[in-house]
């Protein structure tokens, strides 16, 4: 399954244009996509998912599975940390886009978020160092590279994109890289093979690129779903299996096997006891004391005498 967890969406996006983008994504092989809503500060106290509901009920076209995602731009993380739990409850996936070095360090080391998304066409006044990047990867945070940013940028933006993408791949050693499109129209979408080959030129191996389109986004979707449907790591049980009343009095196959094994064990023990009693009656079984007495009597009688009975 191929994932694209960043299809750009805004309230001004028309339903027809969004349907065309989703249909093209499905034809390219993407089975699950996420509509991304970029938020700005201040975040409302009770945020709600603003995505149109008529897309999910549309059956005239073949559409991939739709998820709802929010991306929050962070400049001063201390001013918006308390809004993250409310956003996580309103959307399926939550990502942050740090704009400063302080926000980037905080996202790598502290924030409980699954995705760090960056606008790689901009110039960052700091370097992507391996220590915070690898710390984020070890915590389960993934770095997102959006290839549609390169297609819509100018010459300066493309140079920044290549430089930033190479730095992130070098700092993370290709680990924890998630590939998305951030496409605003269907013309910005590319096939999975083209995206993997493009990132391979900048140092991301082919197997890592395939993981960025398959296993890594899938793990994010599964983990975020478990957080919403479970409590403290325990998944809720939706419905227990029902049993028929007629089958309650019938022993199961496991019970039959157990009872059969018990009966066999009892019959075996009974046969052993009967054999032992029969041997004792015939004089074949003697205890240790009787055997010792017989041995001493045989020695005292000598080779030509027999012990008295």
């Amino acid at each position: 399954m191929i994932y694209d967890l960043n299809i750009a969406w805004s309230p001004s996006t028309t339903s027809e244009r969004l349907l065309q983008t989703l249909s093209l994504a499905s034809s390219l092989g993407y089975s699950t996509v996420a509509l991304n809503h970029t938020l700005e500060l201040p975040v409302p106290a009770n945020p709600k998912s603003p995505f149109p509901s008529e897309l999910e009920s549309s059956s005239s076209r073949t559409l991939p599975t739709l998820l709802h995602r929010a991306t929050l731009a962070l400049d001063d993380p201390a001013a918006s940390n308390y809004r993250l739990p409310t956003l996580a409850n309103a959307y399926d996936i939550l990502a942050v886009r740090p704009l400063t070095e302080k926000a980037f360090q905080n996202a790598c080391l502290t924030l409980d978020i699954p995705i760090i998304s960056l606008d790689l066409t901009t110039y960052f006044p700091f370097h992507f160092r391996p220590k915070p990047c690898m710390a984020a990867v070890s915590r389960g945070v993934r770095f997102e590279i959006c290839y549609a940013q390169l297609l819509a940028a100018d010459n300066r933006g493309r140079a920044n994109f290549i430089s930033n993408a190479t730095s992130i791949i070098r700092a993370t050693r290709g680990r924890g890289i998630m590939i998305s499109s951030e496409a605003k129209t269907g013309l910005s979408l590319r096939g999975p093979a083209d995206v993997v080959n493009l990132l391979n030129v900048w140092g991301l191996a082919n197997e890592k690129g395939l993981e960025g389109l398959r296993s890594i986004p899938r793990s994010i979707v599964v983990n975020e779903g478990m957080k919403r449907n479970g409590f403290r790591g325990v998944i809720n049980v939706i419905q227990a299996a029902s049993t028929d009343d007629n089958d309650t009095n019938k022993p199961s196959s496991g019970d039959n096997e157990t009872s059969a094994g018990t009966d066999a064990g009892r019959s075996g023990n009974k046969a052993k006891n009967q054999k032992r009693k029969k041997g004792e009656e015939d004089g074949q079984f003697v205890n240790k004391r009787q055997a010792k007495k017989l041995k001493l009597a045989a020695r005292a009688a000598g080779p030509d005498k027999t012990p008295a009975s």
Side-chain angles (χ1 to χ4, degrees):
M1 297 177 66
I2 307 298
Y3 292 76
D4 187 357
L5 299 185
N6 193 345
I7 297 292
W9 181 90
S10 64
S12 61
T13 304
T14 61
S15 299
E16 184 63 27
R17 189 176 69 178
L18 186 57
L19 283 174
Q20 292 177 357
T21 304
L22 296 177
S23 300
L24 182 58
S26 178
S27 64
L28 291 176
Y30 295 98
S31 59
T32 302
V33 301
L35 301 180
N36 182 28
H37 183 208
T38 302
L39 302 177
E40 297 180 356
L41 297 178
V43 179
N46 296 319
K48 296 181 181 180
S49 178
F51 298 101
S53 59
E54 62 268 11
L55 294 176
E56 300 178 359
S57 60
S58 178
S59 58
S60 59
R61 304 183 185 182
T62 302
L63 300 179
T65 303
L66 296 180
L67 299 175
H68 298 165
R69 166 183 164 177
T71 301
L72 181 62
L74 292 183
D75 188 4
D76 185 9
S80 57
N81 282 352
Y82 68 99
R83 297 295 187 190
L84 294 180
T86 58
L87 288 175
N89 294 329
Y91 295 87
D92 297 323
I93 302 173
L94 181 63
V96 296
R97 176 160 291 182
L99 304 177
T100 61
E101 184 177 5
K102 183 179 179 181
F104 180 78
Q105 295 281 345
N106 191 27
C108 291
L109 304 176
T110 306
L111 293 183
D112 184 15
I113 41 93
I115 303 173
I116 296 179
S117 179
L118 299 171
D119 186 4
L120 300 181
T121 59
T122 61
Y123 172 77
F124 292 98
F126 58 91
H127 298 285
F128 300 107
R129 303 185 183 278
K131 188 174 181 179
C133 292
M134 293 305 296
V137 173
S138 63
R139 292 198 308 117
V141 182
R142 306 308 179 196
F143 292 93
E144 183 182 39
I145 295 180
C146 303
Y147 60 86
Q149 297 174 355
L150 178 68
L151 302 178
D154 54 4
N155 294 334
R156 183 59 182 174
R158 293 178 181 178
N160 291 333
F161 184 94
I162 296 173
S163 177
N164 293 327
T166 305
S167 299
I168 291 178
I169 294 172
R170 186 184 299 112
T172 58
R173 300 176 184 176
R175 303 174 183 174
I177 299 294
M178 188 185 74
I179 303 174
S180 302
S181 65
E182 198 175 338
K184 298 180 180 179
T185 60
L187 297 177
S188 301
L189 290 173
R190 295 294 182 271
D194 296 337
V195 176
V196 171
N197 292 333
L198 180 63
L199 292 178
N200 189 18
V201 177
W202 301 325
L204 187 65
N206 289 334
E207 59 273 11
K208 298 294 183 181
L210 291 175
E211 290 179 0
L213 291 171
R214 294 178 177 175
S215 60
I216 290 179
R218 180 182 181 277
S219 64
I220 292 175
V221 173
V222 172
N223 292 336
E224 293 301 304
M226 291 176 61
K227 289 180 181 179
R228 287 161 179 79
N229 298 327
F231 176 73
R232 294 182 179 178
V234 180
I235 302 177
N236 293 336
V237 178
I238 304 301
Q239 183 178 3
S242 61
T243 57
D244 296 335
D245 296 337
N246 297 330
D247 297 338
T248 55
N249 297 326
K250 295 181 180 179
S252 60
S253 60
D255 296 338
N256 294 334
E257 294 177 359
T258 305
S259 60
T262 305
D263 296 340
R266 290 177 180 175
S267 60
N269 293 334
K270 186 176 181 181
K272 289 181 181 179
N273 294 333
Q274 292 177 356
K275 186 177 181 181
R276 181 178 298 174
K277 290 181 180 179
K278 184 178 180 181
E280 289 178 354
E281 293 175 356
D282 296 341
Q284 296 178 1
F285 294 95
V286 293
N287 55 22
K288 292 183 179 181
R289 177 177 287 185
Q290 292 177 355
K292 188 175 182 180
K293 288 181 179 181
L294 292 175
K295 187 176 181 180
L296 293 175
R299 289 182 180 178
D304 296 335
K305 299 179 180 181
T306 56
S309 59

